[in-house]
Amino acid sequence: MASYNANIGIGDASGYFGYGTAGSAATLGDDVLISQDGITLTTPSREVLKDWANTVVRAMPGEDLPTVQANFITTDNDVLELIFGGNTIDPSVVPENHSFIFQIADGDDILTISTLNGVVTEVADVTLSSTEVITWTATITADSWTITKGTASV
């Protein structure tokens, strides 16, 4: 997603992000920015079961859950609360579950990736430098993510 976050379909915009109360649909906003690198969706692995003839019989779901990794480039109390559960990095504090939505322009199409119940399960190392944008790379884990495709309207 782009860091300029204007309206999708107008100018150079390519995406939006939003979050809300777990169990309720998240709403899109433009106050929390995701870097132009976009997001990474990681799907769960499957365990392949084979018979004695080495023929694949079926694939069973693995134990890992699907994740979305996003590079947040907004540093404010909302982002710190979202990824750390507050503005103090305390291992005993777990961030609350939220609903999440990412909307990404793909040519004339719009992809929406969302979940009603996800939580930030990992935050990568952060480089704090006066010459670089501070980036909070967070991994959001959910039982499932919904992907829908639509058409951008101008």
Side-chain angles (χ1 to χ4, degrees), residues 3-39:
S3 61
Y4 22 79
N5 258 13
N7 293 328
I8 289 180
I10 300 173
D12 295 323
S14 62
Y16 276 112
F17 164 75
Y19 67 99
T21 304
S24 301
T27 56
L28 296 169
D30 61 2
D31 52 344
V32 175
L33 304 178
I34 306 292
S35 80
Q36 65 185 1
D37 298 329
I39 63 173

PDB file of all heavy atoms in Angstrom, residues 3-39:
ATOM      1  N   SER A   3       2.042   5.075   0.945  1.00  0.00           N
ATOM      2  CA  SER A   3       2.053   5.832   2.181  1.00  0.00           C
ATOM      3  C   SER A   3       1.271   7.129   2.077  1.00  0.00           C
ATOM      4  O   SER A   3       1.077   7.802   3.055  1.00  0.00           O
ATOM      5  CB  SER A   3       3.494   6.126   2.589  1.00  0.00           C
ATOM      6  OG  SER A   3       4.121   6.895   1.602  1.00  0.00           O
ATOM      7  N   TYR A   4       0.790   7.479   0.872  1.00  0.00           N
ATOM      8  CA  TYR A   4       0.057   8.727   0.721  1.00  0.00           C
ATOM      9  C   TYR A   4      -1.431   8.564   0.918  1.00  0.00           C
ATOM     10  O   TYR A   4      -2.128   9.535   1.079  1.00  0.00           O
ATOM     11  CB  TYR A   4       0.325   9.397  -0.636  1.00  0.00           C
ATOM     12  CG  TYR A   4       0.828   8.493  -1.710  1.00  0.00           C
ATOM     13  CD1 TYR A   4      -0.025   7.665  -2.406  1.00  0.00           C
ATOM     14  CD2 TYR A   4       2.186   8.458  -1.997  1.00  0.00           C
ATOM     15  CE1 TYR A   4       0.459   6.831  -3.384  1.00  0.00           C
ATOM     16  CE2 TYR A   4       2.661   7.611  -2.978  1.00  0.00           C
ATOM     17  CZ  TYR A   4       1.802   6.817  -3.668  1.00  0.00           C
ATOM     18  OH  TYR A   4       2.267   5.973  -4.635  1.00  0.00           O
ATOM     19  N   ASN A   5      -1.960   7.364   0.882  1.00  0.00           N
ATOM     20  CA  ASN A   5      -3.313   7.034   1.309  1.00  0.00           C
ATOM     21  C   ASN A   5      -4.400   8.042   0.953  1.00  0.00           C
ATOM     22  O   ASN A   5      -5.155   8.459   1.807  1.00  0.00           O
ATOM     23  CB  ASN A   5      -3.326   6.813   2.812  1.00  0.00           C
ATOM     24  CG  ASN A   5      -3.346   5.355   3.148  1.00  0.00           C
ATOM     25  OD1 ASN A   5      -3.116   4.519   2.281  1.00  0.00           O
ATOM     26  ND2 ASN A   5      -3.611   5.034   4.373  1.00  0.00           N
ATOM     27  N   ALA A   6      -4.485   8.459  -0.275  1.00  0.00           N
ATOM     28  CA  ALA A   6      -5.626   9.260  -0.728  1.00  0.00           C
ATOM     29  C   ALA A   6      -6.763   8.296  -1.038  1.00  0.00           C
ATOM     30  O   ALA A   6      -6.658   7.106  -0.780  1.00  0.00           O
ATOM     31  CB  ALA A   6      -5.245  10.063  -1.970  1.00  0.00           C
ATOM     32  N   ASN A   7      -7.852   8.801  -1.603  1.00  0.00           N
ATOM     33  CA  ASN A   7      -8.968   7.908  -1.939  1.00  0.00           C
ATOM     34  C   ASN A   7      -8.550   6.941  -3.031  1.00  0.00           C
ATOM     35  O   ASN A   7      -7.907   7.323  -3.996  1.00  0.00           O
ATOM     36  CB  ASN A   7     -10.172   8.715  -2.424  1.00  0.00           C
ATOM     37  CG  ASN A   7     -10.771   9.550  -1.334  1.00  0.00           C
ATOM     38  OD1 ASN A   7     -10.730   9.162  -0.180  1.00  0.00           O
ATOM     39  ND2 ASN A   7     -11.305  10.696  -1.677  1.00  0.00           N
ATOM     40  N   ILE A   8      -8.963   5.688  -2.890  1.00  0.00           N
ATOM     41  CA  ILE A   8      -8.640   4.696  -3.911  1.00  0.00           C
ATOM     42  C   ILE A   8      -9.289   5.102  -5.216  1.00  0.00           C
ATOM     43  O   ILE A   8     -10.445   5.484  -5.250  1.00  0.00           O
ATOM     44  CB  ILE A   8      -9.103   3.298  -3.469  1.00  0.00           C
ATOM     45  CG1 ILE A   8      -8.208   2.819  -2.326  1.00  0.00           C
ATOM     46  CG2 ILE A   8      -9.102   2.316  -4.615  1.00  0.00           C
ATOM     47  CD1 ILE A   8      -8.540   1.472  -1.789  1.00  0.00           C
ATOM     48  N   GLY A   9      -8.540   5.005  -6.293  1.00  0.00           N
ATOM     49  CA  GLY A   9      -9.068   5.347  -7.612  1.00  0.00           C
ATOM     50  C   GLY A   9      -8.849   6.799  -7.979  1.00  0.00           C
ATOM     51  O   GLY A   9      -9.151   7.209  -9.078  1.00  0.00           O
ATOM     52  N   ILE A  10      -8.341   7.593  -7.061  1.00  0.00           N
ATOM     53  CA  ILE A  10      -8.081   9.002  -7.342  1.00  0.00           C
ATOM     54  C   ILE A  10      -6.597   9.243  -7.122  1.00  0.00           C
ATOM     55  O   ILE A  10      -6.053   8.897  -6.083  1.00  0.00           O
ATOM     56  CB  ILE A  10      -8.900   9.917  -6.419  1.00  0.00           C
ATOM     57  CG1 ILE A  10     -10.395   9.658  -6.616  1.00  0.00           C
ATOM     58  CG2 ILE A  10      -8.559  11.374  -6.640  1.00  0.00           C
ATOM     59  CD1 ILE A  10     -11.272  10.378  -5.634  1.00  0.00           C
ATOM     60  N   GLY A  11      -5.924   9.815  -8.087  1.00  0.00           N
ATOM     61  CA  GLY A  11      -4.501  10.109  -7.937  1.00  0.00           C
ATOM     62  C   GLY A  11      -3.673   8.849  -7.874  1.00  0.00           C
ATOM     63  O   GLY A  11      -3.903   7.895  -8.592  1.00  0.00           O
ATOM     64  N   ASP A  12      -2.699   8.823  -6.956  1.00  0.00           N
ATOM     65  CA  ASP A  12      -1.746   7.721  -6.857  1.00  0.00           C
ATOM     66  C   ASP A  12      -2.099   6.697  -5.785  1.00  0.00           C
ATOM     67  O   ASP A  12      -1.283   5.881  -5.415  1.00  0.00           O
ATOM     68  CB  ASP A  12      -0.344   8.277  -6.558  1.00  0.00           C
ATOM     69  CG  ASP A  12       0.194   9.111  -7.690  1.00  0.00           C
ATOM     70  OD1 ASP A  12      -0.048   8.762  -8.845  1.00  0.00           O
ATOM     71  OD2 ASP A  12       0.855  10.112  -7.384  1.00  0.00           O
ATOM     72  N   ALA A  13      -3.284   6.744  -5.242  1.00  0.00           N
ATOM     73  CA  ALA A  13      -3.628   5.866  -4.117  1.00  0.00           C
ATOM     74  C   ALA A  13      -3.624   4.409  -4.528  1.00  0.00           C
ATOM     75  O   ALA A  13      -4.003   4.066  -5.635  1.00  0.00           O
ATOM     76  CB  ALA A  13      -4.998   6.230  -3.577  1.00  0.00           C
ATOM     77  N   SER A  14      -3.173   3.573  -3.618  1.00  0.00           N
ATOM     78  CA  SER A  14      -3.203   2.141  -3.911  1.00  0.00           C
ATOM     79  C   SER A  14      -3.714   1.314  -2.752  1.00  0.00           C
ATOM     80  O   SER A  14      -3.732   0.104  -2.835  1.00  0.00           O
ATOM     81  CB  SER A  14      -1.819   1.660  -4.333  1.00  0.00           C
ATOM     82  OG  SER A  14      -0.905   1.842  -3.281  1.00  0.00           O
ATOM     83  N   GLY A  15      -4.130   1.919  -1.640  1.00  0.00           N
ATOM     84  CA  GLY A  15      -4.662   1.093  -0.578  1.00  0.00           C
ATOM     85  C   GLY A  15      -5.054   1.834   0.676  1.00  0.00           C
ATOM     86  O   GLY A  15      -4.741   3.004   0.856  1.00  0.00           O
ATOM     87  N   TYR A  16      -5.777   1.109   1.510  1.00  0.00           N
ATOM     88  CA  TYR A  16      -6.220   1.597   2.807  1.00  0.00           C
ATOM     89  C   TYR A  16      -6.040   0.501   3.850  1.00  0.00           C
ATOM     90  O   TYR A  16      -5.998  -0.680   3.516  1.00  0.00           O
ATOM     91  CB  TYR A  16      -7.712   1.946   2.776  1.00  0.00           C
ATOM     92  CG  TYR A  16      -8.043   3.305   2.248  1.00  0.00           C
ATOM     93  CD1 TYR A  16      -8.717   3.441   1.046  1.00  0.00           C
ATOM     94  CD2 TYR A  16      -7.723   4.451   2.960  1.00  0.00           C
ATOM     95  CE1 TYR A  16      -9.062   4.694   0.569  1.00  0.00           C
ATOM     96  CE2 TYR A  16      -8.060   5.704   2.491  1.00  0.00           C
ATOM     97  CZ  TYR A  16      -8.734   5.824   1.295  1.00  0.00           C
ATOM     98  OH  TYR A  16      -9.077   7.056   0.825  1.00  0.00           O
ATOM     99  N   PHE A  17      -6.030   0.906   5.102  1.00  0.00           N
ATOM    100  CA  PHE A  17      -5.978  -0.015   6.231  1.00  0.00           C
ATOM    101  C   PHE A  17      -6.975   0.460   7.270  1.00  0.00           C
ATOM    102  O   PHE A  17      -7.221   1.659   7.412  1.00  0.00           O
ATOM    103  CB  PHE A  17      -4.572  -0.029   6.848  1.00  0.00           C
ATOM    104  CG  PHE A  17      -4.525  -0.648   8.218  1.00  0.00           C
ATOM    105  CD1 PHE A  17      -4.610  -2.021   8.371  1.00  0.00           C
ATOM    106  CD2 PHE A  17      -4.419   0.136   9.355  1.00  0.00           C
ATOM    107  CE1 PHE A  17      -4.588  -2.603   9.626  1.00  0.00           C
ATOM    108  CE2 PHE A  17      -4.387  -0.432  10.622  1.00  0.00           C
ATOM    109  CZ  PHE A  17      -4.470  -1.807  10.753  1.00  0.00           C
ATOM    110  N   GLY A  18      -7.538  -0.477   8.013  1.00  0.00           N
ATOM    111  CA  GLY A  18      -8.409  -0.108   9.117  1.00  0.00           C
ATOM    112  C   GLY A  18      -8.471  -1.221  10.135  1.00  0.00           C
ATOM    113  O   GLY A  18      -8.147  -2.369   9.847  1.00  0.00           O
ATOM    114  N   TYR A  19      -8.871  -0.876  11.336  1.00  0.00           N
ATOM    115  CA  TYR A  19      -9.072  -1.882  12.377  1.00  0.00           C
ATOM    116  C   TYR A  19     -10.219  -1.424  13.261  1.00  0.00           C
ATOM    117  O   TYR A  19     -10.606  -0.254  13.249  1.00  0.00           O
ATOM    118  CB  TYR A  19      -7.795  -2.130  13.184  1.00  0.00           C
ATOM    119  CG  TYR A  19      -7.332  -0.965  14.024  1.00  0.00           C
ATOM    120  CD1 TYR A  19      -7.615  -0.923  15.386  1.00  0.00           C
ATOM    121  CD2 TYR A  19      -6.607   0.077  13.472  1.00  0.00           C
ATOM    122  CE1 TYR A  19      -7.190   0.143  16.164  1.00  0.00           C
ATOM    123  CE2 TYR A  19      -6.176   1.135  14.239  1.00  0.00           C
ATOM    124  CZ  TYR A  19      -6.472   1.169  15.585  1.00  0.00           C
ATOM    125  OH  TYR A  19      -6.055   2.215  16.350  1.00  0.00           O
ATOM    126  N   GLY A  20     -10.776  -2.385  13.991  1.00  0.00           N
ATOM    127  CA  GLY A  20     -11.908  -2.070  14.852  1.00  0.00           C
ATOM    128  C   GLY A  20     -12.012  -3.070  15.979  1.00  0.00           C
ATOM    129  O   GLY A  20     -11.098  -3.855  16.233  1.00  0.00           O
ATOM    130  N   THR A  21     -13.148  -3.059  16.632  1.00  0.00           N
ATOM    131  CA  THR A  21     -13.416  -3.962  17.745  1.00  0.00           C
ATOM    132  C   THR A  21     -13.561  -5.384  17.225  1.00  0.00           C
ATOM    133  O   THR A  21     -14.247  -5.615  16.226  1.00  0.00           O
ATOM    134  CB  THR A  21     -14.719  -3.536  18.458  1.00  0.00           C
ATOM    135  OG1 THR A  21     -14.577  -2.171  18.868  1.00  0.00           O
ATOM    136  CG2 THR A  21     -14.996  -4.407  19.668  1.00  0.00           C
ATOM    137  N   ALA A  22     -12.918  -6.334  17.885  1.00  0.00           N
ATOM    138  CA  ALA A  22     -13.005  -7.738  17.474  1.00  0.00           C
ATOM    139  C   ALA A  22     -14.464  -8.161  17.408  1.00  0.00           C
ATOM    140  O   ALA A  22     -15.269  -7.808  18.269  1.00  0.00           O
ATOM    141  CB  ALA A  22     -12.239  -8.628  18.439  1.00  0.00           C
ATOM    142  N   GLY A  23     -14.817  -8.892  16.347  1.00  0.00           N
ATOM    143  CA  GLY A  23     -16.180  -9.361  16.155  1.00  0.00           C
ATOM    144  C   GLY A  23     -17.036  -8.441  15.329  1.00  0.00           C
ATOM    145  O   GLY A  23     -18.088  -8.840  14.833  1.00  0.00           O
ATOM    146  N   SER A  24     -16.622  -7.195  15.150  1.00  0.00           N
ATOM    147  CA  SER A  24     -17.340  -6.225  14.324  1.00  0.00           C
ATOM    148  C   SER A  24     -16.480  -5.877  13.118  1.00  0.00           C
ATOM    149  O   SER A  24     -15.256  -5.881  13.207  1.00  0.00           O
ATOM    150  CB  SER A  24     -17.625  -4.939  15.100  1.00  0.00           C
ATOM    151  OG  SER A  24     -18.395  -5.222  16.246  1.00  0.00           O
ATOM    152  N   ALA A  25     -17.111  -5.564  12.017  1.00  0.00           N
ATOM    153  CA  ALA A  25     -16.363  -5.226  10.804  1.00  0.00           C
ATOM    154  C   ALA A  25     -15.500  -3.992  11.035  1.00  0.00           C
ATOM    155  O   ALA A  25     -15.958  -2.999  11.602  1.00  0.00           O
ATOM    156  CB  ALA A  25     -17.312  -5.005   9.644  1.00  0.00           C
ATOM    157  N   ALA A  26     -14.255  -4.071  10.608  1.00  0.00           N
ATOM    158  CA  ALA A  26     -13.349  -2.925  10.687  1.00  0.00           C
ATOM    159  C   ALA A  26     -13.731  -1.903   9.631  1.00  0.00           C
ATOM    160  O   ALA A  26     -14.281  -2.251   8.587  1.00  0.00           O
ATOM    161  CB  ALA A  26     -11.907  -3.383  10.468  1.00  0.00           C
ATOM    162  N   THR A  27     -13.448  -0.641   9.894  1.00  0.00           N
ATOM    163  CA  THR A  27     -13.704   0.406   8.911  1.00  0.00           C
ATOM    164  C   THR A  27     -12.375   0.947   8.408  1.00  0.00           C
ATOM    165  O   THR A  27     -11.401   1.019   9.147  1.00  0.00           O
ATOM    166  CB  THR A  27     -14.535   1.551   9.513  1.00  0.00           C
ATOM    167  OG1 THR A  27     -13.864   2.052  10.676  1.00  0.00           O
ATOM    168  CG2 THR A  27     -15.922   1.075   9.902  1.00  0.00           C
ATOM    169  N   LEU A  28     -12.361   1.304   7.134  1.00  0.00           N
ATOM    170  CA  LEU A  28     -11.151   1.843   6.524  1.00  0.00           C
ATOM    171  C   LEU A  28     -10.912   3.263   6.997  1.00  0.00           C
ATOM    172  O   LEU A  28     -11.850   4.013   7.249  1.00  0.00           O
ATOM    173  CB  LEU A  28     -11.276   1.815   5.003  1.00  0.00           C
ATOM    174  CG  LEU A  28     -11.378   0.423   4.394  1.00  0.00           C
ATOM    175  CD1 LEU A  28     -11.764   0.513   2.936  1.00  0.00           C
ATOM    176  CD2 LEU A  28     -10.069  -0.319   4.547  1.00  0.00           C
ATOM    177  N   GLY A  29      -9.642   3.627   7.103  1.00  0.00           N
ATOM    178  CA  GLY A  29      -9.292   4.980   7.502  1.00  0.00           C
ATOM    179  C   GLY A  29      -8.019   5.409   6.808  1.00  0.00           C
ATOM    180  O   GLY A  29      -7.419   4.655   6.050  1.00  0.00           O
ATOM    181  N   ASP A  30      -7.605   6.633   7.057  1.00  0.00           N
ATOM    182  CA  ASP A  30      -6.363   7.112   6.442  1.00  0.00           C
ATOM    183  C   ASP A  30      -5.418   7.697   7.482  1.00  0.00           C
ATOM    184  O   ASP A  30      -4.501   8.418   7.150  1.00  0.00           O
ATOM    185  CB  ASP A  30      -6.643   8.115   5.333  1.00  0.00           C
ATOM    186  CG  ASP A  30      -7.376   9.355   5.814  1.00  0.00           C
ATOM    187  OD1 ASP A  30      -7.648   9.466   7.025  1.00  0.00           O
ATOM    188  OD2 ASP A  30      -7.674  10.212   4.980  1.00  0.00           O
ATOM    189  N   ASP A  31      -5.628   7.361   8.762  1.00  0.00           N
ATOM    190  CA  ASP A  31      -4.763   7.918   9.790  1.00  0.00           C
ATOM    191  C   ASP A  31      -3.619   6.989  10.189  1.00  0.00           C
ATOM    192  O   ASP A  31      -2.658   7.417  10.793  1.00  0.00           O
ATOM    193  CB  ASP A  31      -5.571   8.320  11.025  1.00  0.00           C
ATOM    194  CG  ASP A  31      -6.460   7.207  11.541  1.00  0.00           C
ATOM    195  OD1 ASP A  31      -6.692   6.249  10.800  1.00  0.00           O
ATOM    196  OD2 ASP A  31      -6.921   7.308  12.691  1.00  0.00           O
ATOM    197  N   VAL A  32      -3.696   5.703   9.855  1.00  0.00           N
ATOM    198  CA  VAL A  32      -2.604   4.764  10.090  1.00  0.00           C
ATOM    199  C   VAL A  32      -2.084   4.339   8.726  1.00  0.00           C
ATOM    200  O   VAL A  32      -2.824   3.783   7.921  1.00  0.00           O
ATOM    201  CB  VAL A  32      -3.064   3.534  10.909  1.00  0.00           C
ATOM    202  CG1 VAL A  32      -1.932   2.532  11.034  1.00  0.00           C
ATOM    203  CG2 VAL A  32      -3.563   3.960  12.287  1.00  0.00           C
ATOM    204  N   LEU A  33      -0.827   4.613   8.466  1.00  0.00           N
ATOM    205  CA  LEU A  33      -0.261   4.379   7.143  1.00  0.00           C
ATOM    206  C   LEU A  33       0.565   3.099   7.095  1.00  0.00           C
ATOM    207  O   LEU A  33       1.285   2.771   8.032  1.00  0.00           O
ATOM    208  CB  LEU A  33       0.617   5.560   6.726  1.00  0.00           C
ATOM    209  CG  LEU A  33      -0.057   6.934   6.743  1.00  0.00           C
ATOM    210  CD1 LEU A  33       0.951   8.009   6.358  1.00  0.00           C
ATOM    211  CD2 LEU A  33      -1.252   6.961   5.814  1.00  0.00           C
ATOM    212  N   ILE A  34       0.448   2.403   5.974  1.00  0.00           N
ATOM    213  CA  ILE A  34       1.233   1.208   5.680  1.00  0.00           C
ATOM    214  C   ILE A  34       2.246   1.597   4.612  1.00  0.00           C
ATOM    215  O   ILE A  34       1.927   2.351   3.693  1.00  0.00           O
ATOM    216  CB  ILE A  34       0.328   0.061   5.152  1.00  0.00           C
ATOM    217  CG1 ILE A  34      -0.825  -0.237   6.105  1.00  0.00           C
ATOM    218  CG2 ILE A  34       1.154  -1.181   4.849  1.00  0.00           C
ATOM    219  CD1 ILE A  34      -0.439  -0.823   7.416  1.00  0.00           C
ATOM    220  N   SER A  35       3.469   1.080   4.701  1.00  0.00           N
ATOM    221  CA  SER A  35       4.498   1.458   3.730  1.00  0.00           C
ATOM    222  C   SER A  35       4.125   1.011   2.322  1.00  0.00           C
ATOM    223  O   SER A  35       3.279   0.130   2.133  1.00  0.00           O
ATOM    224  CB  SER A  35       5.857   0.865   4.121  1.00  0.00           C
ATOM    225  OG  SER A  35       5.935  -0.487   3.726  1.00  0.00           O
ATOM    226  N   GLN A  36       4.803   1.593   1.347  1.00  0.00           N
ATOM    227  CA  GLN A  36       4.551   1.269  -0.059  1.00  0.00           C
ATOM    228  C   GLN A  36       4.899  -0.174  -0.400  1.00  0.00           C
ATOM    229  O   GLN A  36       4.543  -0.670  -1.458  1.00  0.00           O
ATOM    230  CB  GLN A  36       5.314   2.216  -0.964  1.00  0.00           C
ATOM    231  CG  GLN A  36       6.818   2.080  -0.852  1.00  0.00           C
ATOM    232  CD  GLN A  36       7.546   3.121  -1.668  1.00  0.00           C
ATOM    233  OE1 GLN A  36       6.936   3.958  -2.313  1.00  0.00           O
ATOM    234  NE2 GLN A  36       8.863   3.080  -1.640  1.00  0.00           N
ATOM    235  N   ASP A  37       5.557  -0.887   0.520  1.00  0.00           N
ATOM    236  CA  ASP A  37       5.885  -2.296   0.296  1.00  0.00           C
ATOM    237  C   ASP A  37       4.655  -3.186   0.361  1.00  0.00           C
ATOM    238  O   ASP A  37       4.715  -4.348  -0.010  1.00  0.00           O
ATOM    239  CB  ASP A  37       6.906  -2.780   1.329  1.00  0.00           C
ATOM    240  CG  ASP A  37       8.211  -2.017   1.231  1.00  0.00           C
ATOM    241  OD1 ASP A  37       8.567  -1.595   0.121  1.00  0.00           O
ATOM    242  OD2 ASP A  37       8.864  -1.834   2.272  1.00  0.00           O
ATOM    243  N   GLY A  38       3.530  -2.654   0.861  1.00  0.00           N
ATOM    244  CA  GLY A  38       2.297  -3.426   0.930  1.00  0.00           C
ATOM    245  C   GLY A  38       2.290  -4.381   2.097  1.00  0.00           C
ATOM    246  O   GLY A  38       2.935  -4.148   3.118  1.00  0.00           O
ATOM    247  N   ILE A  39       1.546  -5.474   1.958  1.00  0.00           N
ATOM    248  CA  ILE A  39       1.423  -6.457   3.016  1.00  0.00           C
ATOM    249  C   ILE A  39       1.835  -7.823   2.473  1.00  0.00           C
ATOM    250  O   ILE A  39       1.891  -8.031   1.274  1.00  0.00           O
ATOM    251  CB  ILE A  39      -0.014  -6.522   3.580  1.00  0.00           C
ATOM    252  CG1 ILE A  39      -1.005  -6.967   2.499  1.00  0.00           C
ATOM    253  CG2 ILE A  39      -0.420  -5.187   4.171  1.00  0.00           C
ATOM    254  CD1 ILE A  39      -2.402  -7.228   3.004  1.00  0.00           C
TER     255      ILE A  39
END
